[in-house]
Amino acid sequence: LSHKDNDHTGDRMRNFLNREIEKLKEDKKQLEQQIKAAAGDKEKVKVLEKKLAQIEGELSHKDNDTYRRKNAVIFKQIMNMSG
């Protein structure tokens, strides 16, 4: 791949990761709203809080530079194999 192709591949990967993280943040926001709305239903709140904890764990794992760098390398390797 040329340098220009590598730049394009990097942009695609960054866009993909950013969309993935934004989706998780939106899911987190929605769950927080659902928890507030279900305040009287302890069982429902418990289920929603469990889902929220999973989302927060995934966010903390993915929303950092190390994750982005690691996945950028993997994505470039895949693109090199398919190109």
Side-chain angles (χ1 to χ4, degrees), residues 65-80:
D65 290 336
T66 302
Y67 180 82
R68 285 184 172 93
R69 278 193 301 273
K70 177 180 149 196
N71 282 279
V73 168
I74 292 168
F75 189 76
K76 285 179 184 177
Q77 289 171 346
I78 291 169
M79 294 305 294
N80 287 335

Side-chain angles (χ1 to χ4, degrees), residues 8-9 15 21 23 44 46 49-50 58 66 71:
H8 183 65
T9 300
N15 289 339
I21 290 166
K23 168 103 174 67
K44 188 171 184 177
K46 187 176 178 180
E49 285 178 339
K50 185 176 180 181
E58 197 171 345
T66 302
N71 282 279

